[in-house]
Amino acid sequence: MAHLGNSIFVVAIDFGTTYSGYAFASKQDFANDPPKYSTSAWQGSRLLSLKAPTAVLLNGNKELVAFGYDAENQFSELLSNDDHEDYYYFHQFKMLLHNQRVTRTTEIKDVSKKSMQAIKVFSLAIEYLKNHLLEKIQQRLKNALQDDDLYFVLTVPAIWDDPSKQFMREAAEAAGIKKDKLAIALEPEAASIFCQKLKTDKAETGRDFCETVKSGMKYMVIDLGGGTADITVHQRISDGTIQEVVPPSGGPWGGKSIDEAFFKFLCEICGTKVMEDLKSIELEDYIDLFREFETKKRSVRNNNQTNVVITLPVSLTDLVKQQHKKFEMALEKSRHRDTVKFSKQKLHIAADTFRGLFKNTIDEIIKLVGKLLNNDKIEDLKTILMVGGFSECELLQDAVRAKIGAPRKLIIPEEAGLAVLKGAVLFGHQPRVVSQRISRVTYGIQSWPDWDPDMHPETKKVTINGQVRCKDVFFKYMTKGDRITPGHEVSQIFQALKPDETTLECTVYTSTDENPRYITDPSCQRLGILTIQLPPHSAGQTLEIEETLIFGDTEILCRARDLRTGRISEVQFDLL
């Protein structure tokens, strides 16, 4: 298990879908209230930002060439010189881990459709951020940094499953971060921890979050990043900790989904094949078009009735003309002919039509917020926090305010995009500040009980060593919806009967049902294999191993103990 120990610095890496960054604080910095955080300023083309685009440029040998703004700019230059064929360029690739079972061998395609192992791309990006922050910390110190001086916290969405968390952990370890100096933090939890130190309203001098949300009160955290909307509901406890009230929920409704809506909008005007050709043949123009859209997206307002003007690349209008002679003809045939005009290489989009690009994403978020507010367990909830870069969108803020209604209060902290990052630093310093979580799934293993004709179907009947057994029975460890305190242990005793066995393997399953009967039920899927190293034992000797799964933290931990000697044996829990 990871532990802070004698580490001098807690370092948080927020590896985002669209933007990534880091923050750190020394033990001395934690003496301040609120703690003093250090972050990095990244140089973009026109401005300094506290996060860099999650963009990775690799050469033909799959070695890192550049990250962030540098990767964007260098790849753009390679495209303009038509010299990009031997390079890999990845961006916004974190969403690969959302609702998809990934493994160490999962391939990921770059913008030119070239494939590479996903874990390698993630690892190189994390390694770059790690090396960048090491340089920054070293500037503050007179003595050289030692390995144990840093304790790392890597953030992930709360709605991610256990294999996705292990994937990120292994990518971080491959990037040179020691296993026992790495913790995984859940993004909305980190934001919630940060908000405990928050001044909620500049007008209310001295009033902070802890006075707004007193002990026993519940509050919702809506974390809106580039890829996902991630919602948790927490309750403040008198001992200063926080507890989950309902399981985390969310979906792929971050800022990136607005980009996808814009792509679909352009497909409706220009044609899907034209847009795909632009992306594959004129990639530089495609990237520039979406960069311009990003700036327009950030400035959208509810009360603005002025047309939104977007300059189209000449290559795009040329591709359209190959099919329609004139761009205006394609526009006239589309369903947007009354609200979009084309003039001098520019699209003039009616304000309501442009706001419509946000509608589906905002509707999904509001639908989920409404569903949560109807939950009896949080009917007394009065405070909603919105954090993450996408929370700065005025359309979304207005929609949430309209949905929650008075007297509920919406709080959007300054620098909402850094709430997760700074909260992750605090989490590293106080890993048990979340004192209770709720299990999102049911956990269990396969068992082989005695056959009972009144309970078990004939298809599950097997004979093992002369005994009639029922195969595939789901033996439950933890039920979906269970409240769990960190460090909650569930144990089972296994026997190794063959003297030549060197390992004992146990497959762990999850289910979306509270009471699954068999591991073959549609609701069940294999989580991973628990491998226990066995000590030497002789023929006829019964070796009993107590296998323990430890729940309640952000990751599942495991332990195995030889009941005869009490020795703790090595355990590997492989989820990938």
Side-chain angles (χ1 to χ4, degrees):
M1 182 178 176
H3 52 89
L4 182 59
N6 295 321
S7 299
I8 301 170
F9 291 92
V10 174
V11 175
I13 296 177
D14 182 4
F15 190 93
T17 299
T18 50
Y19 291 94
S20 296
Y22 62 80
F24 60 87
S26 68
K27 285 184 175 177
Q28 193 175 350
D29 294 330
F30 279 105
N32 300 306
D33 190 22
K36 180 184 174 186
Y37 305 94
S38 297
T39 55
S40 179
W42 304 85
Q43 180 67 59
S45 55
R46 298 173 205 163
L47 72 163
L48 283 172
S49 65
L50 294 172
K51 287 186 179 180
T54 309
V56 178
L57 179 65
L58 312 173
N59 62 22
N61 295 325
K62 301 181 178 179
E63 298 163 333
L64 187 78
V65 174
F67 178 85
Y69 290 111
D70 288 342
E72 286 187 344
N73 296 334
Q74 288 187 41
F75 186 65
S76 181
E77 191 172 329
L78 288 166
L79 284 170
S80 63
N81 295 328
D82 199 21
D83 196 23
H84 65 285
E85 284 301 316
D86 293 332
Y87 289 83
Y88 296 81
Y89 180 70
F90 298 92
H91 74 134
Q92 299 191 352
F93 49 90
K94 182 183 170 187
M95 285 300 285
L96 173 78
L97 300 182
H98 179 74
N99 277 353
Q100 180 181 334
R101 187 68 184 254
V102 292
T103 69
R104 295 180 192 91
T105 58
T106 297
E107 297 271 318
I108 181 174
K109 291 187 189 301
D110 82 335
V111 292
S112 303
K113 306 294 185 187
K114 294 192 289 289
S115 290
M116 188 170 159
Q117 273 195 337
I119 200 160
K120 173 79 171 171
V121 182
F122 278 80
S123 177
L124 286 170
I126 294 169
E127 185 176 25
Y128 178 87
L129 290 165
K130 181 200 75 171
N131 291 338
H132 199 279
L133 67 89
L134 285 174
E135 286 180 25
K136 193 166 179 77
I137 292 175
Q138 191 64 69
Q139 292 169 8
R140 285 179 49 172
L141 299 177
K142 294 177 182 176
N143 302 319
L145 274 170
Q146 304 299 315
D147 277 354
D148 287 346
D149 288 344
L150 300 180
Y151 181 75
F152 288 85
V153 180
L154 186 62
T155 65
V156 302
I159 54 176
W160 271 12
D161 61 12
D162 295 296
S164 295
K165 293 174 194 171
Q166 180 168 337
F167 179 94
M168 288 300 286
R169 168 173 282 281
E170 291 195 11
E173 289 174 14
I177 298 174
K178 292 174 68 175
K179 185 174 186 175
D180 64 345
K181 290 294 178 182
L182 173 64
I184 300 292
L186 307 183
E187 288 165 0
E189 282 189 1
S192 180
I193 294 164
F194 167 72
C195 289
Q196 309 304 312
K197 306 282 185 185
L198 183 69
K199 301 291 181 187
T200 62
D201 192 334
K202 284 188 287 188
E204 301 174 46
T205 307
R207 187 172 173 80
D208 60 24
F209 182 78
C210 295
E211 292 170 317
T212 301
V213 179
K214 298 179 175 62
S215 177
M217 292 176 67
K218 299 165 187 171
Y219 58 96
M220 182 184 294
V221 182
I222 307 175
D223 178 19
L224 300 158
T228 56
D230 210 6
I231 305 179
T232 55
V233 178
H234 288 152
Q235 184 172 24
R236 279 185 57 80
I237 307 303
S238 56
D239 62 4
T241 64
I242 55 178
Q243 295 184 350
E244 269 186 4
V245 180
V246 293
S249 53
W253 310 309
K256 184 174 180 283
S257 61
I258 312 299
D259 298 350
E260 291 163 359
F262 181 58
F263 181 83
K264 184 180 176 185
F265 166 80
L266 291 175
C267 286
E268 290 170 349
I269 294 173
C270 306
T272 302
K273 185 178 185 305
V274 165
M275 290 305 299
E276 293 292 351
D277 285 348
L278 180 73
K279 191 174 182 180
S280 59
I281 302 167
E282 303 289 349
L283 186 56
E284 182 184 9
D285 288 346
Y286 179 86
I287 290 171
D288 285 345
L289 174 60
F290 275 82
R291 270 184 172 177
E292 181 174 359
F293 174 68
E294 181 68 23
T295 62
K296 305 292 184 184
K297 185 173 81 174
R298 287 167 181 258
S299 59
V300 68
R301 299 288 181 269
N302 253 327
N303 56 2
N304 186 16
Q305 293 305 319
T306 308
N307 287 350
V308 177
V309 181
I310 292 181
T311 303
L312 298 183
V314 173
S315 58
L316 175 57
T317 52
D318 285 348
L319 285 167
V320 173
K321 287 174 186 176
Q322 289 173 18
Q323 293 187 24
H324 298 280
K325 293 186 180 178
K326 288 186 176 182
F327 188 92
E328 290 87 343
M329 292 175 67
L331 181 56
E332 187 60 31
K333 289 180 180 178
S334 79
R335 68 184 186 94
H336 301 291
R337 60 183 176 273
D338 295 330
T339 58
V340 179
K341 304 300 175 192
F342 177 74
S343 174
K344 296 179 181 178
Q345 208 58 39
K346 294 179 171 64
L347 275 187
H348 298 255
I349 307 167
D352 285 343
T353 299
F354 193 80
R355 282 190 285 267
L357 299 175
F358 293 72
K359 185 177 185 310
N360 286 346
T361 300
I362 291 175
D363 285 352
E364 290 293 345
I365 294 168
I366 296 304
K367 190 190 304 179
L368 182 55
V369 170
K371 183 180 177 183
L372 284 167
L373 291 175
N374 287 332
N375 189 319
D376 293 343
K377 293 177 182 174
I378 60 172
E379 60 183 359
D380 52 347
L381 183 140
K382 295 289 186 288
T383 305
I384 290 94
L385 281 159
M386 268 175 56
V387 298
F390 190 34
S391 68
E392 293 169 5
C393 171
E394 185 185 282
L395 303 188
L396 189 49
Q397 292 175 5
D398 290 350
V400 172
R401 281 195 188 94
K403 182 65 183 179
I404 64 176
R408 297 190 185 101
K409 182 175 183 178
L410 179 64
I411 299 172
I412 304 157
E414 287 188 63
E415 293 187 336
L418 293 179
V420 168
L421 197 47
K422 292 181 175 180
V425 176
L426 289 168
F427 174 83
H429 196 65
Q430 304 169 282
R432 289 290 168 91
V433 69
V434 181
S435 57
Q436 191 177 87
R437 294 183 175 91
I438 295 175
S439 181
R440 292 179 59 219
V441 291
T442 299
Y443 293 89
I445 59 170
Q446 180 182 12
S447 66
W448 305 73
D450 291 338
W451 168 260
D452 184 339
D454 294 328
M455 286 178 57
H456 304 135
E458 196 73 26
T459 53
K460 298 291 184 185
K461 186 177 181 181
V462 291
T463 302
I464 302 173
N465 295 333
Q467 289 186 293
V468 182
R469 303 270 189 179
C470 181
K471 67 176 181 177
D472 298 335
V473 172
F474 192 106
F475 182 85
K476 194 161 59 171
Y477 272 20
M478 178 74 57
T479 303
K480 177 182 178 180
D482 276 357
R483 295 178 176 276
I484 329 159
T485 54
H488 177 79
E489 298 182 359
V490 183
S491 300
Q492 176 74 359
I493 294 171
F494 292 90
Q495 288 186 346
L497 300 175
K498 297 178 184 176
D500 58 346
E501 282 185 303
T502 57
T503 60
L504 195 63
E505 288 192 349
C506 170
T507 305
V508 180
Y509 294 86
T510 62
S511 172
T512 52
D513 285 348
E514 291 181 11
N515 294 296
R517 293 193 66 194
Y518 302 100
I519 60 168
T520 52
D521 289 354
S523 70
C524 297
Q525 71 170 5
R526 195 191 81 172
L527 175 62
I529 296 175
L530 197 66
T531 304
I532 300 164
Q533 301 296 322
L534 296 178
H537 54 289
S538 55
Q541 180 185 28
T542 299
L543 187 65
E544 290 189 320
I545 301 292
E546 180 189 57
E547 170 261 300
T548 302
L549 288 184
I550 304 160
F551 296 92
D553 287 294
T554 55
E555 300 173 271
I556 298 174
L557 305 171
C558 14
R559 185 181 68 237
R561 185 166 64 96
D562 183 340
L563 291 183
R564 183 170 54 87
T565 64
R567 187 177 76 92
I568 304 294
S569 58
E570 181 188 338
V571 179
Q572 181 185 354
F573 193 14
D574 191 356
L575 294 91
L576 298 174

